[in-house]
Every structure is written in structure tokens, then in C-alpha cells.
Amino acid sequence: MDSNIFYPIWAEADPSVEFFSRQNSRLQTNNTRVPPAYPQRVSPEFFAGPPFRDYRTAEVKWGPDNGPTYLSEDNLECSSSEIDLDVEERKTNRKVLETNSQQLQRHAQGSAERICNPSMQMTDSSNTFSVSKQIPPKEFVCPITSNLFDDPVTLETGQTYERRAIQEWLDRGNSTCPITRQKLQSTQLPKTNYVLKRLIASWLEENPYSTPSRLEDSPGENFRDSSMSQSPSSPPSAVTQPSNIDVSSTDIRLAISCLCTSEFLDESEKAVLQIETFWRNASLETEITAVLSKPAVINGFVEILFNSVDPNVLKVTIFLLSELASRDKFVIQTLNRVDSDVKCMIALFKKGLIEAIVLIFLLNPLLETLIEMDIANAILMAIAKKDDELIKMCMSPMTASILILWKILQEGNSGLSNIVRSIISDRVLDRILLSLEAEMVEERIAATGIVLKCMGEDGRSRKLIAERVQLAPVLESFAIVNDMERFQIICFLFELTKLSRRLSNEKVLQAIKGGGAFSMMHSLLIYLQTTPMEQSPVVAGLLLQLDLLVEPRKMSIYREEAVDTLITCLKNVDFPSIQLRTAETILALLGRFSSSGRPLARALLLKHAGIRKGYRALMETEQTGQAPEGSEHNLEEEKAAEAWERKMAFALVSHEFGLLFEALSDGLKSRNLELSSSCLVLATWLSYMLSLLPDTGVRGAARVCLMKQFITILKSARHTDEKALSMLALRSFMHDQEGLFNLTLYIKDILKTLRELKKSSILAYEMLKLLSDGHDSSIKDMWVYKELMQVDCSTNGEVVSVICFKNMIFSGHLDGMIKVWKGDENLLSLLQETHEHSKAVTTLAILKPSDKLYSGALDKTIRAWAILDGKIHCTEFFDMKDSVRNLSVTNTFACFTPQNSGLKVLSWNGGSKTFNSGKNVKSLVLVQGKLYCGCNDSSIQEIDLATETSVTIHPGKKKLLGKETPIYAVQVRDGLIFSAGMFVDGVAVKIWSTSDYSLVGSIQSSIEVRAMAISKELIYLGSKTGTLEIWSKEKHTAVGALQIGTNCRVQCIDVDEEGEMLVIGTSDGRLQVWGLT
């Protein structure tokens, strides 16, 4: 048998071997490999093997199990006996091949004429294709329809019927076999009897016109009248080079006949290319579609897919099958009859035949088949491939890939996360985003669903999506799709607004609001009024955000409907899942998200409550990547976020006089832990925001609904975070006198918890201080400071420097004035004023052995003052030639920081030296002959004046977004160095050892420290916002906080030796004295 022969699916077979093989008459040796009677359908695993070999350069050798294998010259090792047996036949075949085209034409011409002329009688008995009418065997005829079987099924009784006929019998309610009348155990029909089906096909090949059924399926029937009167629709793009020879109807009949009957693979491949050329040039599209859609022709195309290794032929075959399947549903039925056909196409697609995905989509295979064949990765590769590299078909391979991928992600259960992660990591996401702009609405919806899955799997992809997505086509689809797809679009848009940047979120909202050709807000309102309750929270949340872009203080029908829906869903106790979804939706409306899209409401509230550890833990878990505090961009974002919070909170709490608080109160009582936790965060946030919003009367409603719930949680909650949230909410109620009074009634219930929280939160100290004013004598173990005296020195400008000495207070002022004060009970008495400096007195120092006061000023002078009887007089004057700051003195020399870099050491005898000239020193302290310098770059140095050597304690850091992080204050106490400055790395004060310079502790304050004082037990930190924090020096925990002012900064601090009197100078010219009580 010729090695170039292949066997059509309907070739003659011997029933005795169940059409799997037939006796080979040529080779009789034991080593002979007998080919099957026709090519068996190749399993998909065949395509996963080595790449196809070109049949034109390889010899075909049939294997016993897996059909034809192509042998290269390297494998042509045959025994001499096999060669001798085959020599004669090879000579004969060579002659046949030399005249192959003439034989093919005569062969196909005769077949086509018989197909198109059933009445034609072939009288030449020597003609291979002569036929005679015969009655088919009764085994080939359905006993119900009396027609040849098309889809035979054999029941458990042994009787065979046409599938459609027996299905109708069963559909009428029958449950017995029509012939035997035996009761059927199952009414589910078995698989097709392929043995019988192929025997019938073989018989029909020998007797093509013996029955009307055969004539009906004849592939050339419609070409008897080939009037090409209809004009062609837009023809498909050719996948082969146009032929120079005009293809006539006779040629196409010959090509179809050759495809259906030829046993030569190369002839069938040429026939496919001819059919494609005719299809491209045909004007009678309907008629040619009808002819090519015949099952015999479709099966011929399928055989090409199974046997051909020519990429161009495979592409043409896929193209033709796709075009036919898109026009005739019966083609799809024919292709779906055998599962291996679909698997073959999937295997070809995985091997790189991208166009096959279009045919796979049209066949709509079962999800199980797609998953079993592991098609997902190949689909992603197809999506990544540009369409201009592929042939044009009835549908873009990109579109088909998107639709099938969405089917897998939508209906699949396992392994979806890996697929979605591959979409993101392999950069396929950019291509999918383009499908959001596709002309086909189904493709847009599928792409929307895929992108939504990506955001759910990896929220960090949300930023990329928001930057590159075009929302207008998606918004236009909203008006023409069904309700399920509309909700999918809404979820996509809602998730897109969960960006970590508030300004970016508002840009997205603006695009949603004005991006479509119609009013999106009106469409959402109409949809909200008819949507199921489980979908309502998300729809209402999106509508409310769009409404707040306009006028947040003016009510509108959109806002009323949205907020009312949210409250109704939150109060629906019969459906806790809807309540939880609503609470989570409202939390998302705050507009604070991590880079992964997770709400940050809980973390930020813990920060407000002073639980820094809990806040940092949550932020580290989310890895937000926020810009450093104080950066220009971050300040702008923070301002926008705070404005949005105010607008949203006002819209929620003002609806029907705080009706939302009732729903939250019920939610806090829920046994559903997730629901109660979400409601706690939401209720805390709204209570906190009430203290920032103008009081419209809803604060009272909030207290009535929530105060008892918060007290219960504060008293009995297991987790510190929940206690801290309740504490923050209760602290918000204390801004009103009525709220403070109501809370004092429950002081015994909350006192214990507040004492526990005071170790980690300064807010607890503030609350204890407010509650302890005459209400509970048991809170006397706390460090409580009370303002004793205050004087206004604003006429002299800022209070720049202060120092305490023997019940006296010395203050230096911006205009160069030095004042001497004495405290008497609650009265601060001015003892003396002197104005010898012409500019600001920046620093004061006491030389204790001699009881001398030294002052340094911006007028570039240092003055020594004698202290006598509560007054001072200048005894010495030193011209420094430079501004003086941070003065430290001894009996023999003085140290200070000049206007420029470095520090100067001046001997009272007249000599001077400069140290640390490369640093901009911001703070300085002298202890036992060693100078400790805090610099503008956050570095710290120790300089030994005796040896004139220096040691770097802390190297400092580079500028943070172009901004310096200076050390504003340095103090040395009990062998420890305390450095204070900006809030960096979660701390404002770091503590170092003077012995080995190791970091031994820190104070986790969030303020920017401008001044610092240290007593035996406490550390006092003054901020630029008018707050003074008090910390335990031993435990490094917060003790209390003093609000010095609202529109001022703490310029300077000093404390007396016993730590009982605290003196503070402010930027607005006030001098305050606080006493420990």
C-alpha cells in the first residue's frame, strides 16, 4: 500500500474485526504492521507529543496502535527481505504517482458526475465507481423511522433505534422497548453505536445511490443548478495566496468529491485549499454553505485535522469549519457527535494553531472538557498574540479567547486562582482591558468579569486597571444588557473605586458619572428600585458616591434612595449575610483603602485611639506603601481624604435624624461576630466624625442609641482593639457637656479598662483626667498636671527660651527682652525686665557653682548675669561674631551653635575652636566634658573636648522626599542620650546608651517634637501643634497630655529639679506654669 495514502473515515471495513484493522495483502511477514481500515480518531495525547513532521519529507509508516507515524531518513532501517518484497510494488506506485493529477481528475470527475446525476447509469463494469441499486440490510434501518440510521443507539434489550426516534418514544412517557416491550432499567440513552454507524458509512460508499437518504446527504446535490446570481457578502479573508486559475463549479465539485473519497492525503489537502479559494470567490454563499455543511464534507474536513501536518492546510480547514459553523447550527451538531473531534481541535490550539479557538468557541464544549484539556494557558497565549498576526475569521480569536476564558472563570471551581494570577503576572491584563472597548457587547461583559476576578485575586492590580481602562464602552453596555450583567458592571465599577489614593478615586467616580452617553446616576436609581435586596447595598453605595460629587450639603432623590436602601438592608435581621454586606459596603464608602483595596477604617481609628501597635500591625499586613507623613503629596491626599470623610459622614448621619444609629445599635447586638465587628468599626467612625462635624442635633441621637453599647463593649470585650474603638467613640461623646455628664454615671464600669488602656494609649489618660475632676478619689496615683499660672507676653513676641532656678523663672523673648518671674500660689509675679540684647534671646544657661545666668542671642553676643535678691545684672559681655544658639557653659569655656554649620567652643580667655564643621547642628548639650550634637540630617555625634575626638552615635538618614529630619532636642540623663525630632520610623524620641552607643529604647509618639525636658521620672515633649505629651522615663509609656493651645507651637520647656513645676513658652507669647497634683 502506498505510503502517501490515508484512509477516510467512511472507507471500507471488515465487520469481523470491528473496523479497527483489515488484512494487508501486500506484506505477509511477521514484522508487517497492519494499518486500520481507515484512520482512527487520534487521541488528544497524540498532539502533545513531538512536533508534526512534514509528510512531504517523511515516509508514512503505519503503527499497530497509534495510526501513521512519519519516519525521517534517519529511521529508514529495513531488512533486506522487506525491501525485496516491496520493490515491485514501489515501481508500480512510482508510475501511478507520475500520472497522479490525470488520474485524480478522471477519478473525481466521475464521482462528481454521479453525485450530481443520480439518474446516470454507469455501464462500464471496469469503472471503479460504478454502482447498482441495492436494498440496505435490515440491521442498518431503524424499525421506527424505516430510514437508515444516522445516530444509532443500542438499548439494554439489544435493540437498536435512531436516537431522535427513541427519544421521542421515551418523551411520550413510555418506559419500555418498542419491539420487545421489556421494561427499561434506565431511560437515559447510551452513547452512539459507532461500530454500526461506520458499517453503514462503508456500505453507503459501495452503494451511494441505493436509498433516498444517501441522495439527501450527497455533497454535490446543490451544484446541479449553479446559477451565481446573488451578490456576495463581505468575503472572508483568504488564508492562502489567490489562485491564478479561475475555479469553476466543476472544479469545486471535483474538490469536494476528492475530499470525501480520496485515499491520498496530499490530494485531500489540495482539495481543501481549492475549496477555500472557491469559498473566497463564491457569490452564492448560501448554496455553497449548504453543500459544504453536509456531514460527509464536514467529516472530510475533520479527517484533515486529524492527519495533516501542514500548518497552512490546518489553518484553512479551521477557517472553513468556523465559517460553516457560524452559519449552520447543524455543522455544530455534526462536529459535536464525536468527543475526540473537539479534543483534537483543542490539542491543535494548544500546539499553536491560534485560529482553532474560534471553532472551539462555536462548538461550545463542556466546561469539564476544557478543564480536562488544560486549555487555560493556551488561551492566555492567544490573548497575548496580536490579531494582525492572525487570519481574519467570522470572529476574532481574541474575542473567542476572552469568551471561553470567562466561561472557565465563571463556572469553574478549582485552580481559578492560578489562572487569574497568570493573567496578572504574564501581562495579559493589558490585552484584556482592550476588550472592554470591543464592538461585541458579550466580549465587553466577559472582559469586565475577568478584570473583576483579577481585582478580587490581587487588589494591587486595581491601580493598573484604573490607569488604563476606558469606561465609556462599559457604561454604554449597561443600558442594553440583562440584569445579571448589569450587576456585574456595577460590581466592577464599585471595586474600581477602592484605590489607595483619594484623588485617584474621585477621578474614577467622575469618569463613571460623565463617561456614558446617558445619565449613569439615573440608570442606577432605576435599577436600584427593582434590584434584589442582596444586590442593593453595592448599587446604593455606588450611587451615593456619585451623588456626593455634586453638592454634599444639598439633599437629592439619589442620596435619599441610596441611604434609605442601605439602612433598610442593615436592619434586615432575617438575612445576616445582607446585613454584613451592607456594613462592609458602608465601610468602603469612607474612601480609605490600602494598596490592595482593603478598607483602612479600622487601622486609622486605632491610630486615633492611640493604639499605635495595632495600627502599625494592620498597616504592615496591608503593606500600603503610603507616602511618608509630612510629604507634600501625602498632605494633599490626606486633605482630600478628610474632606471626603466629612461629606460621606454627613450624608449618612443626617438621613432622617440619625436613623442609621438605630440600625447600628441592632448590629452591635448581633451574634454574628463578623457583623458585630463591622458595625463596631462603622459606629465608632460615625461617632468620631460627629465630633468634627457641625452639630445638627444628631449627636444626642447617637448617644441614646450607642452609648450603652459602647460601654458594654469597653467593659467586656476580649480584644484590646475592640476596647480601644469603644473608648474612642466614648471620647467623642465627651466633647459635649451633656455627653460628659452621661458618661460619668458609668465611671465605675469603665474605670478599670481605662486604667489598663492608659499603658498603651494616651487617649485613656485624657478620658481619666476628664472623668477624675472631683468624681473619683481613687485616681490619685496618676500623674496629673494642672495649669497654675499663665501670663501673656505677646507684646515682646514669642517666648523663645525659659529656665527654672531656685523658685525663679527666667524667660527670653523675641525682641531681646529677658524677664525674671516668681511663682506665688496661682500668681506669676514679674520681678524684673532687662533689654540689653537687641535681638531674640535664643538660649539661657545656668552655671550652678557660681549662680550665674548666661544668655545667648541672635545679636551675636553672650552675656553673663549675676543673680542677686531675685534680680540679675550683666557682669560680662562677649562678642561672638556669629549668632548664638544652644548655649552650654562651664567655668573655663562656652559651647554654642552658630548661624552656619558646625559648633564653636570659646575659652573665656579668648581662644576658640570649631568642631563638626560638616554638620548643621540643631541641638547641643554638654555633660562632663563631652558634647552631644543633634544635627539636621538626624545624625548624633559625641565630641570629647579633652581629646578633640568625635564618635558618631547615629549616622542619620538621607532626606525623606527632599525634606530634612532634624534632631530638635538632645538631653542626657542617667547614662542615657535622649534625641527628639520628627516622627520617623514610628517614633519621635530615640534613647541611646552613653557607654556603648546602642539604641536601648524609643518613645512611640506621633508628634513632631520641637522641645524636650526631662525630670527624674518623666519626659516632656512639646510639639509644633500646641500639644505637650508626658511620658514615663522608665517604662517609655505615655502618662498624659496637655493642650497648651490650638494655634501655637511649644517653643521651649523646662522643669524644676523636683519635677513638680513645668514651665512652657509658646509661639503666641504666652508663658505657662503647670503644677503636679
mmCIF file of all heavy atoms in Angstrom, residues 717-749:
data_model
loop_
_atom_site.group_PDB
_atom_site.id
_atom_site.type_symbol
_atom_site.label_atom_id
_atom_site.label_comp_id
_atom_site.label_asym_id
_atom_site.label_seq_id
_atom_site.Cartn_x
_atom_site.Cartn_y
_atom_site.Cartn_z
ATOM 1 N N ALA A 717 -15.275 43.385 76.305
ATOM 2 C CA ALA A 717 -14.644 42.875 75.081
ATOM 3 C C ALA A 717 -13.343 42.150 75.414
ATOM 4 O O ALA A 717 -12.624 42.509 76.344
ATOM 5 C CB ALA A 717 -14.375 44.013 74.104
ATOM 6 N N ARG A 718 -13.033 41.120 74.634
ATOM 7 C CA ARG A 718 -11.823 40.336 74.858
ATOM 8 C C ARG A 718 -10.588 40.962 74.227
ATOM 9 O O ARG A 718 -9.497 40.834 74.744
ATOM 10 C CB ARG A 718 -12.014 38.919 74.322
ATOM 11 C CG ARG A 718 -13.111 38.129 75.026
ATOM 12 C CD ARG A 718 -13.195 36.729 74.439
ATOM 13 N NE ARG A 718 -14.232 35.940 75.114
ATOM 14 C CZ ARG A 718 -14.535 34.677 74.787
ATOM 15 N NH1 ARG A 718 -13.863 34.073 73.802
ATOM 16 N NH2 ARG A 718 -15.480 34.024 75.430
ATOM 17 N N HIS A 719 -10.777 41.622 73.107
ATOM 18 C CA HIS A 719 -9.645 42.136 72.358
ATOM 19 C C HIS A 719 -9.412 43.611 72.673
ATOM 20 O O HIS A 719 -10.355 44.397 72.788
ATOM 21 C CB HIS A 719 -9.870 41.961 70.862
ATOM 22 C CG HIS A 719 -10.048 40.526 70.451
ATOM 23 N ND1 HIS A 719 -9.019 39.617 70.477
ATOM 24 C CD2 HIS A 719 -11.144 39.846 70.024
ATOM 25 C CE1 HIS A 719 -9.460 38.437 70.076
ATOM 26 N NE2 HIS A 719 -10.755 38.555 69.796
ATOM 27 N N THR A 720 -8.147 43.977 72.780
ATOM 28 C CA THR A 720 -7.791 45.356 73.083
ATOM 29 C C THR A 720 -8.259 46.302 71.995
ATOM 30 O O THR A 720 -8.680 47.430 72.281
ATOM 31 C CB THR A 720 -6.261 45.467 73.250
ATOM 32 O OG1 THR A 720 -5.840 44.587 74.294
ATOM 33 C CG2 THR A 720 -5.854 46.881 73.604
ATOM 34 N N ASP A 721 -8.195 45.868 70.746
ATOM 35 C CA ASP A 721 -8.619 46.736 69.649
ATOM 36 C C ASP A 721 -10.083 47.128 69.788
ATOM 37 O O ASP A 721 -10.451 48.292 69.559
ATOM 38 C CB ASP A 721 -8.396 46.041 68.305
ATOM 39 C CG ASP A 721 -6.920 45.943 67.966
ATOM 40 O OD1 ASP A 721 -6.107 46.461 68.748
ATOM 41 O OD2 ASP A 721 -6.588 45.344 66.930
ATOM 42 N N GLU A 722 -10.930 46.193 70.149
ATOM 43 C CA GLU A 722 -12.351 46.496 70.298
ATOM 44 C C GLU A 722 -12.576 47.461 71.464
ATOM 45 O O GLU A 722 -13.408 48.375 71.380
ATOM 46 C CB GLU A 722 -13.137 45.203 70.514
ATOM 47 C CG GLU A 722 -13.118 44.278 69.300
ATOM 48 C CD GLU A 722 -13.883 42.992 69.549
ATOM 49 O OE1 GLU A 722 -14.300 42.774 70.707
ATOM 50 O OE2 GLU A 722 -14.053 42.221 68.596
ATOM 51 N N LYS A 723 -11.820 47.273 72.549
ATOM 52 C CA LYS A 723 -11.924 48.207 73.673
ATOM 53 C C LYS A 723 -11.475 49.600 73.255
ATOM 54 O O LYS A 723 -12.089 50.609 73.631
ATOM 55 C CB LYS A 723 -11.070 47.708 74.838
ATOM 56 C CG LYS A 723 -11.553 46.412 75.476
ATOM 57 C CD LYS A 723 -10.648 46.003 76.630
ATOM 58 C CE LYS A 723 -11.143 44.716 77.280
ATOM 59 N NZ LYS A 723 -10.285 44.293 78.410
ATOM 60 N N ALA A 724 -10.400 49.642 72.486
ATOM 61 C CA ALA A 724 -9.887 50.938 72.046
ATOM 62 C C ALA A 724 -10.883 51.658 71.140
ATOM 63 O O ALA A 724 -11.063 52.881 71.235
ATOM 64 C CB ALA A 724 -8.560 50.750 71.329
ATOM 65 N N LEU A 725 -11.554 50.924 70.276
ATOM 66 C CA LEU A 725 -12.555 51.537 69.399
ATOM 67 C C LEU A 725 -13.714 52.103 70.214
ATOM 68 O O LEU A 725 -14.187 53.222 69.964
ATOM 69 C CB LEU A 725 -13.057 50.511 68.379
ATOM 70 C CG LEU A 725 -12.036 50.055 67.322
ATOM 71 C CD1 LEU A 725 -12.621 48.941 66.471
ATOM 72 C CD2 LEU A 725 -11.600 51.208 66.449
ATOM 73 N N SER A 726 -14.173 51.329 71.185
ATOM 74 C CA SER A 726 -15.255 51.824 72.047
ATOM 75 C C SER A 726 -14.804 53.048 72.831
ATOM 76 O O SER A 726 -15.576 54.007 73.013
ATOM 77 C CB SER A 726 -15.700 50.722 73.013
ATOM 78 O OG SER A 726 -16.186 49.599 72.305
ATOM 79 N N MET A 727 -13.577 53.024 73.307
ATOM 80 C CA MET A 727 -13.042 54.162 74.049
ATOM 81 C C MET A 727 -13.021 55.414 73.173
ATOM 82 O O MET A 727 -13.373 56.514 73.628
ATOM 83 C CB MET A 727 -11.639 53.836 74.540
ATOM 84 C CG MET A 727 -10.951 54.964 75.282
ATOM 85 S SD MET A 727 -9.263 54.528 75.777
ATOM 86 C CE MET A 727 -8.461 54.407 74.175
ATOM 87 N N LEU A 728 -12.595 55.275 71.918
ATOM 88 C CA LEU A 728 -12.559 56.421 71.008
ATOM 89 C C LEU A 728 -13.957 56.977 70.781
ATOM 90 O O LEU A 728 -14.153 58.207 70.763
ATOM 91 C CB LEU A 728 -11.938 55.997 69.676
ATOM 92 C CG LEU A 728 -11.882 57.066 68.586
ATOM 93 C CD1 LEU A 728 -11.017 58.235 69.031
ATOM 94 C CD2 LEU A 728 -11.339 56.475 67.283
ATOM 95 N N ALA A 729 -14.938 56.095 70.629
ATOM 96 C CA ALA A 729 -16.311 56.561 70.435
ATOM 97 C C ALA A 729 -16.823 57.304 71.669
ATOM 98 O O ALA A 729 -17.443 58.367 71.550
ATOM 99 C CB ALA A 729 -17.214 55.376 70.113
ATOM 100 N N LEU A 730 -16.548 56.747 72.838
ATOM 101 C CA LEU A 730 -16.989 57.403 74.077
ATOM 102 C C LEU A 730 -16.269 58.737 74.269
ATOM 103 O O LEU A 730 -16.868 59.695 74.774
ATOM 104 C CB LEU A 730 -16.745 56.480 75.266
ATOM 105 C CG LEU A 730 -17.599 55.206 75.304
ATOM 106 C CD1 LEU A 730 -17.145 54.291 76.431
ATOM 107 C CD2 LEU A 730 -19.080 55.547 75.461
ATOM 108 N N ARG A 731 -14.999 58.787 73.890
ATOM 109 C CA ARG A 731 -14.277 60.059 73.993
ATOM 110 C C ARG A 731 -14.917 61.113 73.112
ATOM 111 O O ARG A 731 -14.942 62.312 73.469
ATOM 112 C CB ARG A 731 -12.815 59.842 73.580
ATOM 113 C CG ARG A 731 -11.978 61.124 73.573
ATOM 114 C CD ARG A 731 -11.852 61.672 74.970
ATOM 115 N NE ARG A 731 -11.095 62.917 74.998
ATOM 116 C CZ ARG A 731 -11.619 64.125 74.855
ATOM 117 N NH1 ARG A 731 -12.924 64.271 74.660
ATOM 118 N NH2 ARG A 731 -10.855 65.187 74.911
ATOM 119 N N SER A 732 -15.452 60.709 71.966
ATOM 120 C CA SER A 732 -16.121 61.669 71.085
ATOM 121 C C SER A 732 -17.368 62.239 71.746
ATOM 122 O O SER A 732 -17.706 63.413 71.550
ATOM 123 C CB SER A 732 -16.480 60.994 69.758
ATOM 124 O OG SER A 732 -15.326 60.475 69.123
ATOM 125 N N PHE A 733 -18.066 61.408 72.532
ATOM 126 C CA PHE A 733 -19.263 61.894 73.227
ATOM 127 C C PHE A 733 -18.911 62.909 74.311
ATOM 128 O O PHE A 733 -19.758 63.715 74.715
ATOM 129 C CB PHE A 733 -20.030 60.728 73.848
ATOM 130 C CG PHE A 733 -20.634 59.791 72.844
ATOM 131 C CD1 PHE A 733 -20.839 58.452 73.148
ATOM 132 C CD2 PHE A 733 -20.985 60.228 71.578
ATOM 133 C CE1 PHE A 733 -21.384 57.581 72.229
ATOM 134 C CE2 PHE A 733 -21.537 59.366 70.644
ATOM 135 C CZ PHE A 733 -21.743 58.045 70.966
ATOM 136 N N MET A 734 -17.667 62.867 74.801
ATOM 137 C CA MET A 734 -17.279 63.724 75.916
ATOM 138 C C MET A 734 -17.003 65.163 75.487
ATOM 139 O O MET A 734 -16.737 66.023 76.337
ATOM 140 C CB MET A 734 -16.039 63.142 76.606
ATOM 141 C CG MET A 734 -16.293 61.795 77.259
ATOM 142 S SD MET A 734 -14.786 60.992 77.865
ATOM 143 C CE MET A 734 -14.322 62.098 79.183
ATOM 144 N N HIS A 735 -17.064 65.445 74.204
ATOM 145 C CA HIS A 735 -16.874 66.817 73.759
ATOM 146 C C HIS A 735 -18.039 67.708 74.166
ATOM 147 O O HIS A 735 -17.884 68.933 74.221
ATOM 148 C CB HIS A 735 -16.674 66.862 72.237
ATOM 149 C CG HIS A 735 -15.334 66.368 71.796
ATOM 150 N ND1 HIS A 735 -15.079 65.044 71.528
ATOM 151 C CD2 HIS A 735 -14.148 67.016 71.596
ATOM 152 C CE1 HIS A 735 -13.814 64.896 71.163
ATOM 153 N NE2 HIS A 735 -13.231 66.074 71.199
ATOM 154 N N ASP A 736 -19.181 67.106 74.382
ATOM 155 C CA ASP A 736 -20.346 67.854 74.856
ATOM 156 C C ASP A 736 -20.469 67.684 76.359
ATOM 157 O O ASP A 736 -20.209 66.598 76.903
ATOM 158 C CB ASP A 736 -21.627 67.355 74.169
ATOM 159 C CG ASP A 736 -21.599 67.614 72.668
ATOM 160 O OD1 ASP A 736 -20.899 68.552 72.258
ATOM 161 O OD2 ASP A 736 -22.256 66.860 71.943
ATOM 162 N N GLN A 737 -20.896 68.730 77.027
ATOM 163 C CA GLN A 737 -21.077 68.653 78.470
ATOM 164 C C GLN A 737 -22.111 67.596 78.839
ATOM 165 O O GLN A 737 -21.951 66.855 79.818
ATOM 166 C CB GLN A 737 -21.495 70.027 79.020
ATOM 167 C CG GLN A 737 -20.378 71.055 78.998
ATOM 168 C CD GLN A 737 -19.220 70.651 79.904
ATOM 169 O OE1 GLN A 737 -19.413 70.074 80.983
ATOM 170 N NE2 GLN A 737 -18.003 70.947 79.466
ATOM 171 N N GLU A 738 -23.154 67.521 78.053
ATOM 172 C CA GLU A 738 -24.192 66.521 78.342
ATOM 173 C C GLU A 738 -23.639 65.113 78.176
ATOM 174 O O GLU A 738 -23.919 64.217 78.991
ATOM 175 C CB GLU A 738 -25.391 66.733 77.417
ATOM 176 C CG GLU A 738 -26.559 65.807 77.724
ATOM 177 C CD GLU A 738 -27.749 66.069 76.816
ATOM 178 O OE1 GLU A 738 -27.690 67.022 76.005
ATOM 179 O OE2 GLU A 738 -28.742 65.321 76.919
ATOM 180 N N GLY A 739 -22.847 64.910 77.147
ATOM 181 C CA GLY A 739 -22.247 63.601 76.956
ATOM 182 C C GLY A 739 -21.265 63.259 78.049
ATOM 183 O O GLY A 739 -21.214 62.114 78.521
ATOM 184 N N LEU A 740 -20.460 64.242 78.485
ATOM 185 C CA LEU A 740 -19.527 64.011 79.579
ATOM 186 C C LEU A 740 -20.262 63.656 80.862
ATOM 187 O O LEU A 740 -19.861 62.740 81.602
ATOM 188 C CB LEU A 740 -18.657 65.249 79.788
ATOM 189 C CG LEU A 740 -17.645 65.190 80.928
ATOM 190 C CD1 LEU A 740 -16.669 64.037 80.727
ATOM 191 C CD2 LEU A 740 -16.889 66.507 81.025
ATOM 192 N N PHE A 741 -21.358 64.354 81.115
ATOM 193 C CA PHE A 741 -22.145 64.071 82.325
ATOM 194 C C PHE A 741 -22.752 62.669 82.270
ATOM 195 O O PHE A 741 -22.718 61.918 83.252
ATOM 196 C CB PHE A 741 -23.245 65.117 82.483
ATOM 197 C CG PHE A 741 -24.156 64.842 83.634
ATOM 198 C CD1 PHE A 741 -23.765 65.122 84.937
ATOM 199 C CD2 PHE A 741 -25.421 64.284 83.427
ATOM 200 C CE1 PHE A 741 -24.609 64.852 86.009
ATOM 201 C CE2 PHE A 741 -26.266 64.014 84.484
ATOM 202 C CZ PHE A 741 -25.860 64.296 85.787
ATOM 203 N N ASN A 742 -23.283 62.297 81.122
ATOM 204 C CA ASN A 742 -23.882 60.964 80.995
ATOM 205 C C ASN A 742 -22.842 59.867 81.192
ATOM 206 O O ASN A 742 -23.127 58.815 81.771
ATOM 207 C CB ASN A 742 -24.534 60.807 79.621
ATOM 208 C CG ASN A 742 -25.756 61.682 79.451
ATOM 209 O OD1 ASN A 742 -26.373 62.098 80.441
ATOM 210 N ND2 ASN A 742 -26.114 61.978 78.214
ATOM 211 N N LEU A 743 -21.631 60.118 80.734
ATOM 212 C CA LEU A 743 -20.596 59.104 80.848
ATOM 213 C C LEU A 743 -20.105 58.951 82.280
ATOM 214 O O LEU A 743 -19.724 57.848 82.697
ATOM 215 C CB LEU A 743 -19.427 59.451 79.919
ATOM 216 C CG LEU A 743 -18.398 58.341 79.672
ATOM 217 C CD1 LEU A 743 -19.060 57.113 79.068
ATOM 218 C CD2 LEU A 743 -17.287 58.843 78.762
ATOM 219 N N THR A 744 -20.120 60.041 83.054
ATOM 220 C CA THR A 744 -19.682 59.933 84.450
ATOM 221 C C THR A 744 -20.599 59.032 85.268
ATOM 222 O O THR A 744 -20.180 58.505 86.310
ATOM 223 C CB THR A 744 -19.626 61.325 85.095
ATOM 224 O OG1 THR A 744 -20.914 61.953 84.987
ATOM 225 C CG2 THR A 744 -18.576 62.189 84.432
ATOM 226 N N LEU A 745 -21.802 58.813 84.796
ATOM 227 C CA LEU A 745 -22.715 57.915 85.508
ATOM 228 C C LEU A 745 -22.260 56.461 85.419
ATOM 229 O O LEU A 745 -22.670 55.631 86.232
ATOM 230 C CB LEU A 745 -24.132 58.056 84.931
ATOM 231 C CG LEU A 745 -24.749 59.457 85.002
ATOM 232 C CD1 LEU A 745 -26.121 59.468 84.341
ATOM 233 C CD2 LEU A 745 -24.844 59.935 86.441
ATOM 234 N N TYR A 746 -21.405 56.174 84.420
ATOM 235 C CA TYR A 746 -20.926 54.800 84.232
ATOM 236 C C TYR A 746 -19.433 54.691 84.534
ATOM 237 O O TYR A 746 -18.773 53.771 84.074
ATOM 238 C CB TYR A 746 -21.175 54.348 82.787
ATOM 239 C CG TYR A 746 -22.620 54.402 82.361
ATOM 240 C CD1 TYR A 746 -23.120 55.518 81.694
ATOM 241 C CD2 TYR A 746 -23.488 53.350 82.622
ATOM 242 C CE1 TYR A 746 -24.444 55.579 81.297
ATOM 243 C CE2 TYR A 746 -24.817 53.403 82.230
ATOM 244 C CZ TYR A 746 -25.293 54.520 81.569
ATOM 245 O OH TYR A 746 -26.607 54.577 81.171
ATOM 246 N N ILE A 747 -18.895 55.634 85.326
ATOM 247 C CA ILE A 747 -17.456 55.669 85.516
ATOM 248 C C ILE A 747 -16.921 54.410 86.179
ATOM 249 O O ILE A 747 -15.823 53.939 85.881
ATOM 250 C CB ILE A 747 -17.062 56.928 86.318
ATOM 251 C CG1 ILE A 747 -15.551 57.101 86.301
ATOM 252 C CG2 ILE A 747 -17.596 56.875 87.737
ATOM 253 C CD1 ILE A 747 -15.086 58.425 86.861
ATOM 254 N N LYS A 748 -17.700 53.824 87.071
ATOM 255 C CA LYS A 748 -17.247 52.607 87.743
ATOM 256 C C LYS A 748 -17.136 51.434 86.768
ATOM 257 O O LYS A 748 -16.345 50.521 86.990
ATOM 258 C CB LYS A 748 -18.188 52.252 88.879
ATOM 259 C CG LYS A 748 -18.166 53.254 90.030
ATOM 260 C CD LYS A 748 -19.076 52.813 91.164
ATOM 261 C CE LYS A 748 -19.031 53.806 92.318
ATOM 262 N NZ LYS A 748 -19.922 53.400 93.427
ATOM 263 N N ASP A 749 -17.945 51.461 85.717
ATOM 264 C CA ASP A 749 -17.917 50.368 84.740
ATOM 265 C C ASP A 749 -16.712 50.463 83.808
ATOM 266 O O ASP A 749 -16.243 49.441 83.285
ATOM 267 C CB ASP A 749 -19.202 50.376 83.908
ATOM 268 C CG ASP A 749 -20.433 50.107 84.749
ATOM 269 O OD1 ASP A 749 -20.316 49.323 85.705
ATOM 270 O OD2 ASP A 749 -21.494 50.688 84.454
#
